Amino acid sequence: MAGATTAQRGGERRQPDSGPPPSARRPRRGPRPLPRRPRLLLLVLALTLLVGGFGTWVLYGSDWLRVERVSVHWTEGPRRLTEDQIVAAAGISLGTPLASLDQEAVADRMLAELPRLASVDVVRGWPNGVSLKVREREAEVLIPDGDRYAEVDADGVRFGEVDEAVAGVPLLDLDLEDSPSTRRFGEDRVRREAVGVAAALPESVRRDTRVIRVTSYDSITLELSGDRTVRWGSAEDSAAKAEALGVVMQAARDARHFDVSVPSAPAVVGG
């Protein structure tokens, strides 16, 4: 019994499997799916391109964000120009995409075409407007020019003309024909210096100043109402001279001639 059992077991031994290796019997699989993060990045990129393209179309291709109106706002100072003049100088075509508006080019064009403008700020007013915020130059002095008067601002810029003298704005009389100051400094600089004198005057004195007469760089005289005069000297230390003039005029109300060429020692001349 024991021997037969042993033989039987031996007869039942399994022979080695001659088929293909296990790896060859694995079923084929399709393309491996992308990890979750790259899929999310691709989705975000696609949405970004879609939104960006739509946004570009809205800004430049659609009729939604185009210029429909141009308005003018004066920030301060005089208002001699008309709104139509300012809008025409801006040259902004209605229907232009608001996003493509070159604000700096518009401002430069306006300043070149309208010398009376001192500053311009071009502001987009989404969705359909443009605001032109302007400030006009203000005449500090008037210079006789034939039958008219040239307007000159505090920077010495000639920006316009008027037919008649303006109350409260002094005339600037440049008598420099025989003055060596013209050769040394140039008429433009002498004029700017004289305009600086006008800008430094107290408002009460400025209202009474009829003429600022200049015969050389260091010889400026103010002619006031009531046949009063002020010897100013050069335009240097104008702020100190203006302060000294206010003091001496208060101290000698009936005086007609003043000298503030040396501001630390103002004087009344001739009583």
Side-chain angles (χ1 to χ4, degrees):
M1 292 294 292
T5 303
T6 303
Q8 187 176 7
R9 289 178 179 174
E12 293 178 352
R13 289 178 181 174
R14 299 182 61 183
Q15 299 297 322
D17 193 349
S18 60
S23 60
R25 295 197 299 267
R26 291 176 182 174
R28 292 186 177 183
R29 299 177 180 178
R32 181 175 297 178
L34 290 173
R36 183 175 182 180
R37 179 176 292 274
R39 287 205 309 267
L40 181 60
L41 291 177
L42 287 175
L43 179 59
V44 171
L45 178 60
L47 289 175
T48 300
L49 292 175
L50 180 62
V51 173
F54 178 74
T56 301
W57 176 79
V58 168
L59 289 174
Y60 298 98
S62 74
D63 293 330
W64 299 343
L65 302 177
R66 294 179 178 267
V67 178
E68 295 182 0
R69 64 185 183 280
V70 180
S71 58
V72 180
H73 305 276
W74 280 263
T75 57
E76 60 181 347
R79 296 180 57 169
R80 296 289 302 279
L81 295 169
T82 67
E83 185 170 342
D84 289 342
Q85 288 175 309
I86 294 173
V87 171
I92 301 173
S93 300
L94 297 182
T96 299
L98 202 58
S100 65
L101 181 68
D102 190 334
Q103 296 161 276
E104 184 176 350
V106 172
D108 290 344
R109 183 165 57 246
M110 294 173 64
L111 292 172
E113 294 189 16
L114 298 174
R116 186 174 290 277
L117 290 179
S119 65
V120 176
D121 187 16
V122 181
V123 181
R124 293 187 182 97
W126 300 97
N128 305 113
V130 177
S131 176
L132 305 175
K133 298 182 179 182
V134 302
R135 181 174 63 85
E136 295 187 22
R137 299 183 186 274
E138 190 167 0
E140 201 70 46
V141 298
L142 300 175
I143 298 179
D145 187 5
D147 295 334
R148 308 190 73 191
Y149 299 90
E151 297 174 286
V152 181
D153 71 358
D155 295 323
V157 177
R158 294 179 58 153
F159 63 87
E161 291 186 344
V162 292
D163 295 327
E164 298 179 352
V166 180
V169 181
L171 301 181
L172 178 58
D173 182 9
L174 296 173
D175 186 10
L176 302 172
E177 185 174 351
D178 299 324
S179 173
S181 297
T182 305
R183 295 188 297 272
R184 180 178 179 185
F185 301 104
E187 184 173 333
D188 288 344
R189 179 178 175 184
V190 175
R191 180 176 63 247
R192 288 195 301 270
E193 296 287 341
V195 172
V197 172
L201 293 176
E203 185 59 33
S204 58
V205 178
R206 176 182 167 83
R207 285 196 305 266
D208 291 338
T209 303
R210 300 293 181 259
V211 179
I212 300 175
R213 196 174 305 280
V214 184
T215 56
S216 70
Y217 179 83
D218 55 2
S219 182
I220 300 174
T221 302
L222 311 184
E223 297 180 4
L224 311 182
S225 60
D227 293 328
R228 295 172 297 167
T229 62
V230 179
R231 183 187 175 197
W232 197 268
S234 72
E236 297 176 2
D237 298 324
S238 283
K241 292 176 180 180
E243 184 177 356
L245 179 60
V247 172
V248 73
M249 291 183 74
Q250 285 289 333
R253 294 179 180 272
D254 296 330
R256 298 176 60 187
H257 306 289
F258 307 90
D259 187 339
V260 291
S261 57
V262 180
S264 59
V268 175
V269 182

